[in-house]
Amino acid sequence: MKRFYLPVFIIILCAKGVAQPKVLSSEEALSRYEAISASMTKSFPEDNIKTYRRTSFTEQQLETYLSQHYQRLDLLPFIKGHHAFKLQSYLHSGNWFKEIGFPQASIASYKDFLLYYNANASHLTLDEAKALVPLRAYAYDILAANYAKLSFLDSAAITHKINIKFIEQYNIVSYPSSLNNYGLFLYTYKKDLDSALVYFNKAYTITQARFPQHTLIGSIRDNIADVYINTHQLKRAKPLYKANFEFYAYAKDENMGIKDITRLISAGSQFVETSLRLGHLEDAKTAFQGLETIMDTSKTIPVLPSSKLEFLKAQELLYATQNNISAAYNTLKYIEVLSDSLIAVEAEVDEEWRNELNNITLDRVALNFEINRIRNENKIKSQRSKLWISTLASSLVLILLLFLFLRRHQHFINAKNKQLLAEQALENTDLKVKQLHLDIKSKERDLSDFAISLTENQKWAELLASKVGAVTAAHPKDREVLLLDLKQEIKNKITFDSDTKVFFERLDKLSDSFYSELTKSFPNLSKNEIRLCSLIRLKIDNRHLASLQNITLASLNTSRYRLRKKLNLPETVDLDQFIQNL
């Protein structure tokens, strides 16, 4: 593709040299700019959100809009003065390219905006310069984000630092926002959690002191909590999620003037999940009730599918913690269906147009626009010799033939890539389904082991009840002896449970490396099955194994049979010998 466009643009430049185009006056350029803008606004007004969504455009509409967009950009250098207007045009171009999904074109427009400002700042009024301060900070932030998205991480880091140095002199919310964005860059792309937390905390301190009611403070709190979650500091993350849940319940978005329901649901779901992981069930239940109330409002206020997914994950974890296995399982199935639906929609919307348009449409539209511009310029020139006309026509035919050939070749490559992506997606889906089945089976086995333990405790309770009845019915002379025996048996039971708990804690610590190797080789083993392997490895006989696990010998034999099946051992291989040789 690159080798093709080089001779094409050489031909274009030669043609432009032959044509000697007329230079537009400033008034003509501005008039044309406004006429093109009016045409664009009929279908896609600049103040309408649909103009900034790729899904609003068909391929033909996008090609037409891009062509008009490039024509406007090409007219800006001819317009003299009107500096604030031209800056807004470059900034709008960067924003539109960013939202529509063309990061490279967005970078070019943001750089044009910043370069033009630096070259013409002295021509702006004080009010114009002041109004552009937060816009310049925004341009730096998005420019850095586009660099990071394209994996130009050094350029992204430099741009973030330039922005921080520029905006720190102004007492506006853009300063803590720039610190927060640099922290996000370190967290997301550099995986440097410690440095990210330093910038998050600095941004939080400034925002709390100067802009305590701005929704930025909620974003920063959420970022700090995410770092704590990733570093296993759940107790420090929980109050931050709680503060956000309370904050977004009344805070309104500064641009839209309405509550941010998406962030409210996210904060509540994160608080519920963190509380459950900490074992704070009552806090989780209280917060979840509030979430349910919010979700009920979805009948009047639409809730995004991603927010519904967060709510369902919190619900599934709550059900599982409450041992409501049936409800948890049903919720998990719904989550799987919703997740697959979102993935499918996203893949269909995103991959189809990105693979086909990102590398083709921009180059094609740019090339078509150059050709159209040459043709239009030639129309307003005096008649040239037939030789020049014939040469130019031949050049254009050659360009068209080469373009059609490469377009067909690129279409074939794209079709092949689509097929490969579809096959890979199918394989990933199969693996995901298999893993979900393994997880469900593992939970069912853990539940079965728990039920066996409950049965043993129930039997002991029934025995205890019968002995209490015997004591009650006994002669007063014999009652004291029976009571002593009953107390001793209860004491032995308590001591046995306590000793067993200590024994397993020490066993887990001593067998850590063995557990790691075993889990790596056999990832579908449950926790009780891993412990059984460790006890067998210590060469403990079956009677003591059953006592330590508080189950009968029959139950132990069942557990050993299940373990053999999960280890895929043939009947000729001894289970004890196999485990001791691991």
Side-chain angles (χ1 to χ4, degrees), residues 504-553:
F504 279 119
E505 288 175 351
R506 293 182 179 177
L507 178 65
D508 290 346
K509 289 180 180 178
L510 292 173
S511 303
D512 185 66
S513 60
F514 174 72
Y515 284 179
S516 298
E517 287 297 320
L518 191 62
T519 303
K520 185 177 180 181
S521 301
F522 305 96
N524 59 336
L525 293 179
S526 67
K527 183 176 180 181
N528 286 338
E529 288 167 341
I530 292 173
R531 279 187 172 174
L532 178 57
C533 289
S534 184
L535 292 171
I536 292 174
R537 184 165 170 260
L538 296 177
K539 299 182 179 180
I540 299 174
D541 60 51
N542 287 346
R543 183 171 58 84
H544 286 96
L545 280 176
S547 297
L548 283 170
Q549 292 190 305
N550 195 23
I551 60 176
T552 64
L553 283 172

Side-chain angles (χ1 to χ4, degrees), residues 97-130:
F97 278 129
K98 176 248 182 184
E99 294 296 335
I100 213 72
F102 294 133
Q104 289 179 323
S106 178
I107 287 173
S109 291
Y110 282 127
K111 289 174 72 174
D112 287 341
F113 166 77
L114 295 169
L115 288 172
Y116 190 87
Y117 179 89
N118 292 334
N120 297 278
S122 60
H123 301 296
L124 299 170
T125 67
L126 290 177
D127 287 341
E128 288 173 339
K130 183 178 180 181

Side-chain angles (χ1 to χ4, degrees), residues 459-468 482-496:
K459 289 179 180 178
W460 183 81
E462 290 173 357
L463 179 61
L464 184 65
S466 66
K467 288 190 177 185
V468 170
L482 292 174
L483 281 172
L484 289 174
D485 290 341
L486 184 59
K487 288 180 180 179
Q488 186 60 41
E489 183 168 346
I490 294 172
K491 183 177 180 182
N492 291 341
K493 173 67 175 174
I494 295 170
T495 303
F496 176 81

Side-chain angles (χ1 to χ4, degrees), residues 34-82:
E34 291 172 345
I36 293 170
S37 297
S39 175
M40 295 168 71
T41 301
K42 289 180 180 178
S43 300
F44 296 97
E46 289 188 3
D47 58 353
N48 193 320
I49 191 65
K50 76 170 188 176
T51 306
Y52 301 87
R53 296 290 180 267
R54 169 62 187 90
T55 51
S56 303
F57 296 85
T58 64
E59 183 175 348
Q60 183 61 46
Q61 286 176 325
L62 180 61
E63 185 173 336
T64 301
Y65 195 91
L66 276 169
S67 178
Q68 294 173 321
H69 193 88
Y70 278 124
Q71 290 179 51
R72 290 200 313 181
L73 289 176
D74 198 60
L75 289 169
L76 288 177
F78 294 100
I79 300 174
K80 306 302 179 185
H82 301 280

Side-chain angles (χ1 to χ4, degrees), residues 323-343:
N323 289 323
N324 190 345
I325 303 301
S326 176
Y329 176 73
N330 290 334
T331 306
L332 189 63
K333 287 177 63 178
Y334 188 28
I335 289 172
E336 181 184 351
V337 172
L338 184 58
S339 297
D340 290 344
S341 174
L342 289 175
I343 291 171

Side-chain angles (χ1 to χ4, degrees), residues 4 70 148 212 322 345 417 514:
F4 161 65
Y70 278 124
Q322 294 173 324
V345 170
N417 289 339
F514 174 72

